[in-house]
Every structure is written in structure tokens, then in C-alpha cells.
Amino acid sequence: MSSARDEILERIRDAMGGSTPAREADYDAIPRNYVRQGSLDVDARLELLVDRLHDYGATVFHSQEGEVATAVAAALRASGKMSLLIPRDLPRAWLPDGFHFFREGASYQEVDASEGVLTDCALAIAATGSIVLRHSAGEARRALSLIPDYHLCVVFAGQVVETVPEGIQQMKAFANIPITTIAGPSATADIEMIRVKGVHGPRTFDVILVE
Amino acid sequence: MSTYVGDAANAPKFQVAAKALVRDTQVRHNVRHATDVIRKKRAKVVGEMPDWEQLRESGHEIKQHTLRHLDFYLEQFERTCTAAGGMVHWARDADEANSIVVGLVKAQQAKEVIKVKTMTSDEIRLNVALEANGITPYETDLADLIVQLGEDKPSHIVVPALHRNRMEIRRIFLDKMNLTELGDKPEDLAAAARAYLREKFLRVPVAISGANFAIADTGSVCVVESEGNGRMCISLPKVLISLIGIEKVIPSFQDLEVYLQTLPRSATGERMNPYNSIWTGVTPEDGPQEFHVVLLDNGRTKVLGDREARETLDCIRCGACLNACPVYRQTGGHAYGSVYGGPIGAILTPQLQSMEHSQTLPYASSLCGACYEVCPVKINIPEILVHLRHKVVERGDAPLEERMAMKVAAYALQSPEHLDRARKLGRIGQVPFVSKGTISHLPFGLDAWTGIRDLPAIPKESFREWWVKREREVG
């Protein structure tokens, strides 16, 4: 008896009936006449991102290079949080005095008991308001930005691309690392198509935009 | 070992099931409301894309290319996924896939599994197989949870509980979650699901997912979702098993740039769904340390073999065709007797079963073309419906009335003499049924037409007869 693998591959070859065009040329011939490159200048691009984030109900705190800690403090006061989990390699300089920050390493239950999490990101896509996490030392393992009810994310202006194709192009470079893209807080419309924010992921998702 | 699509082989004919369902005004109201909302949102976010048609075209062409080289891309995916620490299994049919998954869960000595929404698992009736082996599956998508706790069936491929309203859901949750109090606002119901499932996410060691895309060049798997239950299932348990239809493979990571634009806009009318998870094999210190992929055929290679219907396998399961379909909007999904309802279900379900069951589904359409128009990968569903009707007839499975009517028509249209003779016979035959120039009731079989519309009577004089007479009189 042949293996399932061999039999399925055999069925496929039978179904396609022998002659198929050379694969690489066939792939290159796929038409790609959609927009693959953005056209907005930096200001318009950031404005688009902020508009999309607001559309999802995220709060955006504006900040300057070197003043991230001030924005973090403002975000924590606005959301009434006193302590946050942080990834291993998050810069010390981002952490304001007067609040508690815990480096990751906690069990799921401990993460579940936390008030929230502060991370950075790999890139952001303006057209869709997507924030992309590459689950490395600065963005933490996946559980950390998922289990807590509050996620505060730092985005630098230079990390923002305009279109989805530009974003995917960058993501491909670290495709071997787990990737999460986030467009607003966890949501469902499964009940009468009414959008409810916050089912299993963080119910509140806020962004610090550093220009 | 056998191939099946849920319990579709035992489902009643579409026309019979639909008749009962259209009388259920609550279901019709719920379905109409839900599909109206999604259609409106979809139209808005699709309308703002200047390159929508180009994206559809590319989405179609990438899938067609992949199918032409499916053997290559599956083997490539197997290589890249394995190199990243994943384990790839192949399943010829539903039974084989179930036994692989059950075996993997048993190897962990797990008595429970958490599941991310996967229609493919409903297709192979995985939950039934798990339960038969003493394993309790917990559905974690809110709509799937409603369906599971309500001992119900999914009625839509994206929003499986759209036939239920909030009062019905509240009753199900109160009953099955052992709650004493529960509000009826969607927020209350979502919060109840959050509380019910959270403990399971943190505790249950094995998860089962589907996949939206399996990426050949990187070995990555992509799951598209909204609630965060997907992220929970793919990143918290010790072991993850992904059940993936062989048509879900795409050549390159870069190809996501097309589908991650068209899928969310088509499925839920969002520019982007809240979460996409992409992972590649196993990552030390992050997420499951054992990752299995089960590649499923279950009739897909049969579909591949039919050149005219092959593009059925392009489907990315967005559900836009269901929302657009005037038939689905009247009957809801249960009438189709399959986990795949609506226009895509009407072509996919019978084909997966080698046209041996569900033969009435290709007739569950008015061929209006709305499904084709909204399809983000340009599957020409109306053309395939007609093609499958042809196959049903060739198999001799068309209804007796239709076969007889076609025989009569074939005779009558063979020559002008035959047509004249048939007309004369018809004039005599129709006498008992004509009233004021129309026929409202025909007997036996023929009432399929007159049951819902009138038929004009054959006139005393046809145009051809009048013309011959006129030529004689003038000439």
C-alpha cells in the first residue's frame, strides 16, 4: 500500500494530466497591477495611520524622540494603570518613574493577573491601521501581548509604511519568527452583527506615536 | 476509510429543506439582518479601493497558478515546515484525518482540546471523532461556541451563528454555562464567553486550528481572526495541530499582500481584521513546542480533475457570496445540508462527494451572478453551477419531471412539423387547466412551475399560423 502522501501527490498529477507550464515562468506571468507602493508623504502617511487607529477605537498618544517615558506615563494615568509587564529588551529609558514594570518570564496565570503590557513593534501599516509584532526580545513572546486586558504599543514614525504590500515585504524578512498583526482591540460581531470590543485579546489597545 | 462532507450525504433535498426554513420568520429575519449589515460594510470598504479589480484578478491568478503546480507547492511546504520544526501528515480522506488527529491528541494523554474556528474540521466531523474517543473539544470562536453549546449546526462559513438572535443565545449560555444571571446585550454575552473560555485557554494543553494560508516558500501558516481566540489557541498550548485543506497552500509569503487585502474586506467589511497570526514551525520559548500539520485531500483532487470546475478550489472562505445570494438570504445556511452553504457550498459540497450526493444543490440558485461579482478570487460560480447541473443530468440524477419535459421539448423542437403537432396536442390537453388565458394549476410534476407562477395558455393561433394565413390572403 502506498503512503497517503504519495497517493495524494499521484492524484494531483493525474488530475492535472501531465503537461504543466514551467513553474517559475508561470509564476512570474501572474499579473500584479494592484498598488504595491504608497504615494503619500510622511505627514499624510502618519495622519492616515492615526485616522485608522481612531477608527478602531485605539487612543493615540503623540510623543517625541527621547520623551517616550512621558507619553507612557500619560497613557497609564489616562487608563488608570499602575503597573505593566514589559518584554526583556524594552529600553529602560521608556519607563517613567512612579509606576511598576515587570520584565517577562511570568507564568500564564501571573500574566493573566497583570494590569497590562507595554511593547514596541516591528512596523505599522497606515492603510489598514495594522501594528505588526515580531515576537522577539522587544515585542515579547506571544502570550505577553495577548493575555493582559490592556496593550500599550510604541510606534516610531520611521516604522510606518503606507500599503499592505510594503508591509508584507518587510515582514517577509523575519517570517521565521512568529508574527502578529493587530488592527485595533479584540472584537466580535457574531451576535446580531453588533461590534463588541474585547472578547479574548486585550480589550483596550493604545498607541504611542513617536515623531 | 471514506470521504464525506459533514452529514451532507444524508441531508434532505435542498428544495424540501428550504420549504420548511423559509416559513421560519425568525431565522429569515436574523439572516436578512446579518447579511444586510455585512453587505453594507463590505460595499463601503471595497468601494474605497482603486485597485480592487486588479487585486481580484491577481488573487484568482495566484490560486490558478498554485493549482497547476499543487504537487510542487505541497512538497515545498512540507520541506520548509519540517525544516522549521513542524511535522507534516497527509490524509486522503476525512476518516484518515480524524484518526491522525485523534492519535496525536491521545499521544499527549489529553482529555480536552481547544479549537479555533475551522470549517474543515466540521467537514470531516472531527468533533464527533474526538468525542467518540473520550476527548472533549471546546470551540473557542464565539459563534462556534454558540453553535456547539446550542447543539446546532453552522449556517454561515464566517458567522456560523448568524441565524440566532441575542435572546436565543442568552438562553443557550444560561443553560449550558450554568449561570444564574446574564444580561441580553451582546457585550454581556461576549463577556460570558470570555469568562467561560479563559480558564480553558490557560489550562488545556492541545489546540486544533485550521488555516487560511499555508505558505510554501517559508513553511509558515497564517490564521486570520477577530476575537483573539485564534491567538490564544496557537500560542498558549503545548501542542498545536493545524488541519489544512491541500488547496490552502500559496506559493510565496509575498502573496499574502493580495489576500490580506481582499479577505477581510470581503468577509467582514473591515479594512483589516483585528488579528493575523503567522508562525513557522516551532519557536524556542514561545508557543507550542510541538506543531503538526495535517494536509487533507477529502475529495479536493477530484475537483482538481474537472477543468471546468477546478477554480472552485480558489475559494478563500470569505462568505461574500453567501451574503450576496438572493437564495441564501431567504433560506439561510441550513437548507444546504452541508457545512458549506450558499453559492460556494452549492458547487463545493457535491463536488467533494464526487457528485454522488447533494445533487440538488447546483439547482439552489437563480444564476443571477451576484456571487461572481463579489467573489474576491473571481470564481465564476454561475458557470460552474450550470456545468454541475449538466453533470447531474448526465448521471441520470435529474428529477423525473424534468427528464420527461426535456424529452418532449427535444421531440417538439426537432422540426416545424413536430412543433405544429405538439402545439395542436397541447391545445387539446390544456383545456381543463386554462382560465382567462392563463394556466394556474398543472397536475403531477408540472406543478413545480405553476406552484409559484402562472403559465400563459397556448393561444388559439400562433404567430407562424397567422403568418401563413396572411401570406395566403395577401398573396
Side-chain angles (χ1 to χ4, degrees):
Chain A
M1 205 184 87
S2 66
S3 72
R5 175 184 189 280
D6 293 344
E7 197 173 322
I8 291 170
L9 290 170
E10 196 53 42
R11 287 178 187 175
I12 291 168
R13 287 168 196 138
D14 282 352
M16 298 309 295
S19 72
T20 42
R23 185 182 49 80
E24 280 165 26
D26 195 37
Y27 183 78
D28 292 339
I30 294 169
R32 295 188 190 258
N33 299 319
Y34 49 88
V35 178
R36 303 185 84 177
Q37 194 78 49
S39 54
L40 299 176
D41 63 29
V42 182
D43 288 347
R45 192 158 68 221
L46 295 182
E47 202 180 314
L48 181 63
L49 176 68
V50 170
D51 175 73
R52 295 296 191 246
L53 289 169
H54 284 157
D55 197 38
Y56 294 131
T59 306
V60 181
F61 297 89
H62 293 270
S63 177
Q64 305 280 317
E65 194 90 49
E67 291 172 18
V68 175
T70 317
V72 170
L76 288 180
R77 276 194 297 274
S79 59
K81 310 282 179 196
M82 278 309 295
S83 70
L84 292 182
L85 287 165
I86 49 170
R88 215 163 42 224
D89 286 0
L90 202 80
R92 184 93 198 87
W94 293 5
L95 310 178
D97 294 334
F99 299 91
H100 301 288
F101 296 94
F102 302 94
R103 297 278 168 188
E104 69 169 309
S107 72
Y108 291 162
Q109 277 69 19
E110 286 169 302
V111 176
D112 192 30
S114 75
E115 283 190 88
V117 62
L118 169 67
T119 71
D120 67 1
C121 70
L123 64 129
I125 302 169
T128 57
S130 301
I131 307 291
V132 180
L133 302 183
R134 165 189 51 198
H135 292 281
S136 53
E139 286 125 74
R141 64 198 166 108
R142 285 170 286 180
L144 209 69
S145 50
L146 170 63
I147 298 175
D149 206 17
Y150 177 73
H151 183 184
L152 179 60
C153 187
V154 179
V155 181
F156 287 83
Q159 293 178 308
V160 182
V161 299
E162 183 183 330
T163 65
V164 171
E166 290 164 292
I168 300 287
Q169 176 75 40
Q170 289 199 20
M171 284 154 68
K172 187 167 184 171
F174 49 85
N176 58 326
I177 295 168
I179 297 171
T180 306
T181 80
I182 300 173
S186 153
T188 185
D190 277 348
I191 301 165
E192 297 183 14
M193 305 315 295
I194 295 164
R195 189 179 168 90
V196 178
K197 265 173 44 172
V199 192
H200 303 298
R203 279 183 274 207
T204 312
F205 178 73
D206 290 343
V207 169
I208 293 172
L209 182 59
V210 187
E211 296 178 52
Chain B
M1 292 288 157
S2 65
T3 298
Y4 44 84
V5 181
D7 202 22
N10 301 314
K13 289 181 176 175
F14 176 83
Q15 291 84 341
V16 174
K19 198 164 260 178
L21 281 161
V22 293
R23 290 204 188 99
D24 189 331
T25 50
Q26 183 67 60
V27 167
R28 281 180 67 185
H29 173 84
N30 296 350
V31 172
R32 181 61 67 94
H33 168 73
T35 50
D36 276 347
V37 172
I38 314 179
R39 276 152 53 110
K40 221 156 111 190
K41 287 174 68 187
R42 178 200 165 274
K44 182 173 168 277
V45 297
V46 165
E48 70 185 25
M49 297 290 280
D51 54 350
W52 185 252
E53 285 309 315
Q54 288 80 0
L55 284 165
R56 287 180 76 210
E57 183 64 26
S58 298
H60 177 75
E61 289 299 331
I62 293 168
K63 285 283 184 175
Q64 286 293 297
H65 163 85
T66 311
L67 294 177
R68 280 194 290 275
H69 306 276
L70 190 56
D71 52 344
F72 173 86
Y73 286 121
L74 287 172
E75 286 189 279
Q76 188 186 23
F77 174 78
E78 184 187 40
R79 261 196 318 278
T80 49
C81 178
T82 306
M87 276 173 269
V88 178
H89 312 257
W90 301 70
R92 280 166 281 216
D93 55 35
D95 278 346
E96 191 167 23
N98 284 331
S99 80
I100 292 169
V101 175
V102 166
L104 291 171
V105 177
K106 277 187 166 170
Q108 298 298 322
Q109 273 128 30
K111 289 276 165 219
E112 300 164 299
V113 296
I114 44 178
K115 285 182 70 203
V116 200
K117 185 171 183 307
T118 144
M119 296 307 293
T120 315
S121 80
D122 291 334
E123 174 188 324
I124 65 170
R125 277 188 281 166
L126 177 60
N127 287 1
V128 176
L130 289 168
E131 281 163 3
N133 284 279
I135 301 158
T136 308
Y138 298 110
E139 295 292 349
T140 64
D141 170 74
L142 181 53
D144 275 343
L145 180 66
I146 295 165
V147 168
Q148 187 184 33
L149 293 180
E151 292 167 38
D152 197 357
K153 288 188 169 146
S155 73
H156 190 285
I157 58 176
V158 176
V159 216
L162 98 175
H163 58 287
R164 295 284 199 186
N165 65 23
R166 64 180 80 182
M167 295 312 291
E168 295 171 298
I169 296 164
R170 176 174 176 272
R171 271 197 300 276
I172 294 167
F173 280 11
L174 271 175
D175 188 26
K176 296 295 170 69
M177 293 179 183
N178 291 320
L179 304 171
T180 46
E181 265 175 65
L182 180 59
D184 62 3
K185 291 200 295 291
E187 289 83 357
D188 302 330
L189 300 168
R194 180 184 172 101
Y196 176 77
L197 288 172
R198 170 115 335 194
E199 170 274 328
K200 297 177 174 57
F201 286 135
L202 301 183
R203 177 176 58 80
V204 176
V206 181
I208 296 170
S209 83
N212 294 91
F213 307 100
I215 303 160
D217 67 349
T218 60
S220 315
V221 176
C222 176
V223 163
V224 172
E225 53 130 357
S226 297
E227 294 169 12
N229 64 308
R231 292 176 68 191
M232 292 278 179
C233 288
I234 59 128
S235 60
L236 299 190
K238 293 194 186 82
V239 178
L240 173 61
I241 305 165
S242 296
L243 174 68
I244 307 179
I246 52 172
E247 83 286 17
K248 291 290 175 73
V249 69
I250 57 174
S252 164
F253 193 92
Q254 196 68 43
D255 296 323
L256 285 175
E257 70 185 15
V258 174
Y259 301 114
L260 288 186
Q261 294 196 75
T262 51
L263 177 55
R265 287 175 203 259
S266 299
T268 52
E270 294 169 296
R271 295 188 181 99
M272 188 59 81
N273 46 288
Y275 301 135
N276 294 308
S277 294
I278 306 169
W279 71 96
T280 309
V282 168
T283 308
E285 291 174 50
D286 189 348
Q289 294 302 298
E290 195 177 316
F291 172 49
H292 299 269
V293 168
V294 180
L295 292 173
L296 176 73
D297 180 350
N298 202 39
R300 285 161 177 76
T301 47
K302 280 275 191 322
V303 187
L304 193 65
D306 183 347
R307 184 179 289 269
E308 285 168 82
R310 182 176 295 160
E311 66 184 33
T312 307
L313 297 176
D314 292 0
C315 178
I316 55 173
R317 307 282 190 271
C318 72
C321 62
L322 281 69
N323 306 329
C325 178
V327 175
Y328 176 88
R329 281 159 55 78
Q330 293 297 332
T331 65
H334 290 159
Y336 296 79
S338 165
V339 297
Y340 305 116
I344 187 64
I347 60 172
L348 182 60
T349 304
Q351 289 190 84
L352 288 177
Q353 302 171 101
S354 304
M355 301 305 290
E356 279 165 20
H357 304 285
S358 311
Q359 293 101 333
T360 55
L361 291 187
Y363 296 86
S365 168
S366 64
L367 303 178
C368 74
C371 47
Y372 181 33
E373 206 164 292
V374 297
C375 178
V377 288
K378 286 180 92 166
I379 302 172
N380 195 333
I381 296 176
E383 217 170 87
I384 297 174
L385 284 165
V386 172
H387 171 70
L388 296 181
R389 289 180 187 185
H390 177 77
K391 283 192 147 184
V392 170
V393 171
E394 285 208 317
R395 287 176 51 93
D397 290 336
L400 177 69
E401 307 89 287
E402 187 184 297
R403 277 183 282 148
M404 282 172 54
M406 287 301 160
K407 279 217 172 96
V408 172
Y411 171 83
L413 297 171
Q414 230 163 37
S415 72
E417 291 73 30
H418 283 192
L419 187 59
D420 273 346
R421 209 170 305 153
R423 197 185 296 117
K424 279 177 189 138
L425 274 172
R427 269 187 207 128
I428 299 164
Q430 73 178 356
V431 170
F433 308 108
V434 178
S435 162
K436 293 178 189 155
T438 57
I439 299 170
S440 300
H441 302 287
L442 279 172
F444 156 71
L446 303 171
D447 61 348
W449 180 280
T450 54
I452 39 174
R453 38 191 150 14
D454 287 346
L455 188 68
I458 301 170
K460 290 205 174 62
E461 185 180 59
S462 72
F463 175 80
R464 282 162 48 84
E465 287 162 335
W466 170 80
W467 184 262
V468 171
K469 202 167 78 189
R470 176 184 167 280
E471 291 288 292
R472 260 204 310 270
E473 281 167 7
V474 176

